Amino acid sequence: MEIELCPAVSLLPEAFNVLVAPVELMAGAINSHPELQRYKILFISGNYSRILSRLNRDISELDVRRAFTSFQLMTILEENHHSFLIVEHDPLLYEDSQGMVGYLAQALKQTSREATILLYAPALDPHLEKMTELADRVFCIYNEPAEAKGQGKAKARMAGEQRTLEAYS
C-alpha cells in the first residue's frame, strides 16, 4: 500500500524515496497524516533537525535517532528494525568523508528492501544529487521566490509586451 504524504507525493512500500521540498511541507505532511501511526517510524536526523521541532507532540510511534557522522548513519541503517524510515539529509555528515556518499546511498537502497525509506532535504546539494541516482522515486517541490512573483505581475501590466508562461521561462 502506498503512503501518500501529500497529493503530489506517494511513497511506494519497500522503496528508496527522495523528497526535496520546503520544511513546512514535510512537517505538515507528517503532522496531517495520522495513518502514519500504523507504521513503526524511525526518524533519523543529522547534526541539526529542521523537522523535529515542528512535529506535533501526539505522534506516538516515532523513534528518533541522531547521526553525527556518516559512519553513525550507516550503523543506524544496519541496526534498523522499523518499517518506515525518514532520513533527514545533512550535508555536513560528508564534509570529512566524501567517499561515503556512494556507500550510504547503497545502504539506503539495501535497507529499502525491508522498509520504506524517505530521504528528505529542503534543498538539493551535490551529495544528495549523487544519492538520488540509486533512488526508486525522486520528488522535488519548490516554492516560487516571493520577488519573482511580484516581478511577473509587474511585467504583465506593461502594455504590448510579449509574455512567456512562468513554467517555460
Side-chain angles (χ1 to χ4, degrees):
M1 183 169 90
E2 289 187 14
I3 301 169
E4 187 172 319
L5 284 182
C6 63
V9 179
S10 60
L11 309 176
L12 294 175
E14 296 181 357
F16 176 20
N17 303 276
V18 176
L19 173 62
V20 179
V23 175
E24 298 80 20
L25 186 138
M26 181 63 187
I30 295 171
N31 287 332
S32 65
H33 284 79
E35 68 271 7
L36 289 177
Q37 295 290 324
R38 294 183 298 183
Y39 302 96
K40 190 164 173 110
I41 302 172
L42 175 61
F43 185 94
I44 306 169
S45 70
N47 295 304
Y48 172 76
S49 175
R50 295 178 174 144
I51 301 294
L52 284 175
S53 63
R54 298 171 190 247
L55 295 181
N56 293 339
R57 300 292 177 219
D58 58 350
I59 297 175
S60 59
E61 292 299 318
L62 182 72
D63 293 334
V64 178
R65 300 260 327 250
R66 184 160 285 183
F68 294 106
T69 67
S70 57
F71 298 103
Q72 286 179 340
L73 182 51
M74 290 283 285
T75 302
I76 291 169
L77 292 174
E78 289 170 3
E79 297 171 349
N80 176 53
H81 59 275
H82 294 79
S83 56
F84 184 31
L85 278 77
I86 300 172
V87 181
E88 188 173 2
H89 176 68
D90 184 354
L92 297 176
L93 296 181
Y94 313 105
E95 279 188 350
D96 296 333
S97 55
Q98 297 282 333
M100 286 300 292
V101 175
Y103 292 120
L104 193 54
Q106 290 173 356
L108 287 166
K109 182 70 173 176
Q110 179 70 28
T111 305
S112 74
R113 293 183 179 155
E114 299 169 0
T116 302
I117 304 289
L118 175 62
L119 177 60
Y120 165 75
L124 198 57
D125 63 57
H127 305 299
L128 183 62
E129 201 170 323
K130 183 170 182 168
M131 295 172 86
T132 60
E133 293 172 4
L134 291 179
D136 297 309
R137 291 179 125 181
V138 178
F139 303 93
C140 294
I141 302 171
Y142 293 102
N143 284 342
E144 188 177 339
E147 64 182 48
K149 288 179 186 176
Q151 288 176 354
K153 290 178 183 177
K155 286 183 182 178
R157 289 187 205 124
M158 297 178 71
E161 182 172 297
Q162 183 177 356
R163 295 182 202 121
T164 305
L165 292 175
E166 289 180 326
Y168 297 102
S169 58

